[in-house]
Amino acid sequence: MKPKFQLLLVFCIIAVTTRAQQDQPTLFNYGDPPPLLRVREWIKGTPVQSFEKGNVYVVEFWATWCKPCIAAMPHLSDLAREYKDTVTVLAIDVYEKKTTSTERVKAFVGGIGDRMDFHVAAEDTNFTVHDWLDAWGEKDYGIPRTFVVNAQGRVAWIGHPKDLDTVLRKIVNNTWDIKEALSKRSFNTYLKELDLEVFSKVHRYAGDYNKLDDLGKPDSALLVINEMVKKEPRLKYAPVIASFTFSALLRTNTHKAYEFGKGVMVTPTYEEPAYDFIIGDIEGDSRKLKIPAEIYRLGAECYQAEIDHAPYSELVDIPGQYRKMAAWYRLAGDKSKAMEAQQKVIKLERAKNH
């Protein structure tokens, strides 16, 4: 599947999922009590029947097929040991394939040993996902997904386990501002919904990916985007808008594209900075356009940023990314940077083979 087409397809799927979620009558939010803890079976640890006030709970949703979930487990175990007197960490297995039996899940948990040093349960297929991920508007984020219930018996945070450290410390120390967190979450949801609207309004101007002479209508795309950003300036660097804006600028004014791309790299919105979207646009549009050196340099810097910010480096093809980075630095005319990146490829591959 081609990079740009794949990017647009992902946007479309997310947009459809989000609109479907908006039809739900009720979504809970920070400050609300957690759902009942309804599971089919406890696999490891003492069963947790309810959330007791005075104790903090981390509820992690995972599956045996989910590589990021598995990568997060050792750190969750470290946190469980660090906060053993005040925090109960439990993981609920969800979204398993129909062919995956409870016995197979038990074998997985037993095989992973101390890397899952916390309570583990299997979902009740009638309730768990519905009560938690669906009802709290988290289904489209997938797994791993982490809920934290504070000592007052309220859901205080939901997010990716990679971001748990600082949040959990503040919740345990009673310095977490749940109202501020609620305001930020509500704004991020609002911004994401606006950002996803761009797809339906702008993708028609992107041009046919398979026709190399079809550059679409970038001026029309920028006109629509500028109107949206004028109404909500904080949308400027949001991932979907960033992708369409950068691609349209590549086709109209490459230096403006470069300046915009530099802004994207340092500006998180409802998600991390859209490094991968910039990379995807450069890869896709290089088939149709003569890409200048500064844009290839920007793309190489995005690869480095992706490597630096990868939550679980073992899941990333880092040698492959350095190899692409070296190629783009060569196209940018920077032989020194290209050689530096290539040396990292050699070093990593040697380490892997020993």
Side-chain angles (χ1 to χ4, degrees), residues 152-170:
Q152 291 72 46
R154 303 286 173 173
V155 172
W157 181 79
I158 307 170
H160 194 287
K162 69 181 177 63
D163 301 317
L164 183 58
D165 288 56
T166 302
V167 172
L168 188 58
R169 187 180 307 113
K170 289 183 177 181

Side-chain angles (χ1 to χ4, degrees), residues 29-35 51 55-61 76 79 83 86-90 132 136 145-161 163-173 176 178 181:
N29 218 323
Y30 294 176
D32 291 329
F51 299 107
N55 193 40
V56 175
Y57 295 84
V58 173
V59 186
E60 174 80 0
F61 293 93
L76 282 172
L79 291 174
Y83 294 104
T86 53
V87 178
T88 299
V89 178
L90 54 103
W132 289 82
W136 293 74
R145 207 67 185 158
T146 307
F147 287 64
V148 179
V149 180
N150 66 16
Q152 291 72 46
R154 303 286 173 173
V155 172
W157 181 79
I158 307 170
H160 194 287
D163 301 317
L164 183 58
D165 288 56
T166 302
V167 172
L168 188 58
R169 187 180 307 113
K170 289 183 177 181
I171 290 173
V172 169
N173 294 336
W176 179 252
I178 198 168

